[in-house]
Amino acid sequence: MKKRIFRSIFLTSLGVLAVMLIAVAAVALTPGGVTAEDLPLPFAIAFLAALLVSAVLAKILSEAIVRPIKDIDPEKTDEAKDYEEINELVRKLGRQNELIRKQMADLRRRQIEFNIMTENMSEGFILIDNKSEIVSYNKSALQLLGAENIRDGQHFIFLNRSHAFVSVVSEALKGTNGKTVISIGPRVFRIFANPIKIEEKTGGVAVIVMDITEEERREEMRREFTSNVSHELKTPLTSISGFSELLINRMVADEDVPKFAQNIYDEAARLIVLINDIIKLSRLDEVVDPVLPDSIDLFEIAEEVKNRLALTAAEGEVDIFLSGDKTEVVGNRSILSEMIYNLCDNAIKYNRPDGRVDITVGTLDGKKFLSVKDTGIGIPSEHIGRIFERFYRVDKSHSKKIGGTGLGLSIVKHAAEYHKATLSVESKVDIGTEITVVFP
């Protein structure tokens, strides 16, 4: 098989030359000589014969050239070594094939890595081509948008039909980065749509979907908190300012001066309590004090709180009792103390003369717990779900009378969350309330 192409070319050339010689000989050996009129026909016959022979030989030659190339297996280039004339081509094909194989393996590896990364993202990720069709996505995207039935090749509008979503993706397809916020049921999502540039043209859009429900909830709480704080601070400050102005302008009878001074003192004290509660909540929100890996005795803290509130309880004609035994939990002592203090303080404030408060510490079903039970005014069932909200008061007139800030139970809630504890409330109007904290 060696040198087949060379021999084919050589034989073709000899064949054409032979035909031409035969034609010339035929003309020269014609009896009686050759006249000018007789020349065209022999030469035409010779030309056509040479053309025919060339065509046949060219076909044979082309097949001889193409056949070894067609027979080359890119995966088995060593088998083409018999064709010396195309050995260099075979070697180049082999090198190119190896390069392509490595590139494909690298692409497959990168594709697998990309799929793993996107599938494990909590955010949604979607690729849309310049025809507005969905090219790729991860599970999070479909779950967040509630579009589990979406398939590749569908128009992106099937992901979400809201004007905001369609608008931001459409603008990205035109080459403009954009973001928007959409709501799906109770959840809120931020959508980022960024164009993908290919040679200065928009080849598609990458869409990121982020669940910002918690962020929005915290922002709403912050706005509400700021508004409530402003109102709560304004009330005592207005009273202090008004009473002071009356005293400065000597518009108060001498016998009423102590009364006005007492009012100023009471409002200032209320203001200090409010500010202290706000600071406590801020510290809990910002997690200033990390939970220490120390065992803390709940019974010991409860006993300290009971002693601190003994005078307050006596003034309200409320008896306070502590039962249980040593119960250790892992936590932050100061935060736990604030939690128990606020539970007991509320139980005393919202109690009745000759009432009682029972503090119980112990273990139930293998879990540590603390409960504070009172014989107070109780909480209507429709309010129980909101008593841990900041500044929420069941009876605002009663809270103002006893000096409540509306932040005590919010501090309790944050302290419980800080220790990953759960809160439960049982209450009946005019019978009393029991709040239980169960630690993990």
Side-chain angles (χ1 to χ4, degrees):
M1 296 297 293
K2 292 182 178 180
K3 302 183 180 178
R4 179 183 293 176
I5 297 175
F6 175 80
R7 288 200 302 271
S8 298
I9 296 173
F10 181 72
L11 289 173
T12 300
S13 301
L14 286 179
V16 174
L17 180 60
V19 170
M20 294 299 295
L21 288 173
I22 291 170
V24 171
V27 172
L29 295 175
T30 301
V34 180
T35 63
E37 291 79 4
D38 296 330
L39 285 176
L41 182 60
F43 274 103
I45 294 171
F47 176 77
L48 289 174
L51 187 64
L52 179 62
V53 171
S54 296
V56 172
L57 292 177
K59 185 175 185 305
I60 295 171
L61 175 62
S62 64
E63 289 179 352
I65 293 173
V66 172
R67 188 181 299 111
I69 297 175
K70 289 171 63 178
D71 291 343
I72 295 173
D73 185 350
E75 301 294 332
K76 301 176 182 178
T77 53
D78 290 343
E79 295 179 4
K81 61 184 179 181
D82 290 337
Y83 303 98
E84 293 182 0
E85 294 85 350
I86 59 173
N87 275 350
E88 183 61 28
L89 173 62
V90 170
R91 284 193 293 271
K92 287 184 177 180
L93 285 175
R95 290 193 295 269
Q96 189 69 25
N97 185 59
E98 183 63 24
L99 178 62
I100 292 172
R101 188 185 296 112
K102 290 180 179 179
Q103 289 175 337
M104 290 300 295
D106 186 56
L107 285 173
R108 282 192 293 270
R109 179 180 59 80
R110 290 173 180 266
Q111 180 66 36
I112 292 170
E113 291 175 352
F114 178 77
N115 289 340
I116 291 173
M117 286 189 292
T118 55
E119 284 303 316
N120 286 281
M121 289 171 57
S122 58
E123 297 82 7
F125 180 77
I126 306 163
L127 286 177
I128 300 169
D129 64 18
N130 57 6
K131 297 178 182 177
S132 301
E133 294 178 354
I134 301 167
V135 176
S136 182
Y137 50 82
N138 63 359
K139 290 181 181 178
S140 294
L142 304 189
Q143 290 171 354
L144 293 174
L145 295 175
E148 284 82 357
N149 296 324
I150 285 294
R151 296 291 180 270
D152 292 351
Q154 286 187 281
H155 195 282
F156 75 83
I157 196 172
F158 290 100
L159 290 166
N160 186 272
R161 297 176 180 272
S162 68
H163 174 74
F165 181 83
V166 174
S167 177
V168 76
V169 175
S170 298
E171 288 301 312
L173 284 169
K174 296 176 184 177
T176 304
N177 291 322
K179 63 180 180 179
T180 189
V181 174
I182 64 172
S183 296
I184 302 176
R187 312 299 294 177
V188 183
F189 304 95
R190 180 169 285 123
I191 309 295
F192 295 90
N194 299 310
I196 301 171
K197 297 291 185 179
I198 302 175
E199 296 180 353
E200 302 303 320
K201 294 183 179 179
T202 302
V205 174
V207 179
I208 302 292
V209 183
M210 297 178 62
D211 189 338
I212 60 169
T213 305
E214 277 302 307
E215 180 183 330
E216 286 293 300
R217 186 184 69 83
R218 287 195 297 269
E219 180 61 22
E220 179 61 29
M221 286 178 62
R222 186 195 64 78
R223 289 193 293 265
E224 184 179 344
F225 182 70
T226 302
S227 174
N228 287 330
V229 166
S230 300
H231 175 75
E232 294 293 333
L233 291 176
K234 183 178 179 181
T235 302
L237 285 173
T238 301
S239 298
I240 292 171
S241 176
F243 293 142
S244 300
E245 185 177 0
L246 290 174
L247 290 172
I248 291 170
N249 293 324
R250 300 182 182 277
M251 298 176 66
V252 180
D254 292 342
E255 62 272 17
D256 291 331
V257 168
K259 177 182 176 182
F260 275 76
Q262 182 64 47
N263 287 335
I264 292 173
Y265 176 83
D266 291 341
E267 292 296 337
R270 177 184 168 195
L271 196 58
I272 291 171
V273 171
L274 176 61
I275 291 171
N276 284 337
D277 283 349
I278 291 171
I279 292 172
K280 291 171 189 174
L281 272 176
S282 298
R283 287 171 63 85
L284 287 170
D285 281 340
E286 296 170 8
V287 194
V288 173
D289 299 311
V291 175
L292 301 176
D294 291 337
S295 291
I296 299 169
D297 186 2
L298 283 177
F299 187 86
E300 181 184 327
I301 298 176
E303 191 170 30
E304 291 175 1
V305 170
K306 173 180 174 292
N307 294 333
R308 285 168 58 193
L309 288 170
L311 181 59
T312 304
E315 290 175 350
E317 299 180 24
V318 174
D319 293 323
I320 183 166
F321 301 93
L322 172 63
S323 62
D325 50 22
K326 184 175 181 178
T327 303
E328 293 188 347
V329 296
V330 176
N332 182 294
R333 186 180 186 85
S334 64
I335 294 178
L336 287 172
S337 180
E338 284 294 336
M339 179 181 71
I340 298 172
Y341 181 91
N342 280 282
L343 283 173
C344 295
D345 187 45
N346 260 30
I348 294 169
K349 284 180 179 177
Y350 293 94
N351 218 308
R352 62 184 76 246
D354 297 324
R356 63 181 286 158
V357 173
D358 288 287
I359 309 168
T360 307
V361 180
T363 303
L364 181 63
D365 296 330
K367 292 193 175 182
K368 314 295 176 60
F369 76 94
L370 176 140
S371 73
V372 177
K373 183 178 182 179
D374 64 58
T375 57
I377 61 176
I379 305 168
S381 58
E382 65 270 20
H383 293 280
I384 289 178
R386 300 191 61 188
I387 61 173
F388 295 105
E389 294 179 13
R390 299 176 183 189
F391 295 108
Y392 187 81
R393 298 183 181 92
V394 175
D395 186 344
K396 292 184 179 180
S397 61
H398 187 73
S399 295
K400 185 175 181 180
K401 180 180 178 181
I402 62 175
T405 64
L407 294 175
L409 290 181
S410 292
I411 293 172
V412 170
K413 176 189 174 185
H414 278 66
E417 290 176 347
Y418 190 82
H419 290 86
K420 295 181 174 56
T422 57
L423 289 167
S424 62
V425 182
E426 292 184 10
S427 185
K428 291 184 179 180
V429 177
D430 295 327
I431 293 178
T433 300
E434 181 177 8
I435 298 180
T436 304
V437 185
V438 179
F439 294 84

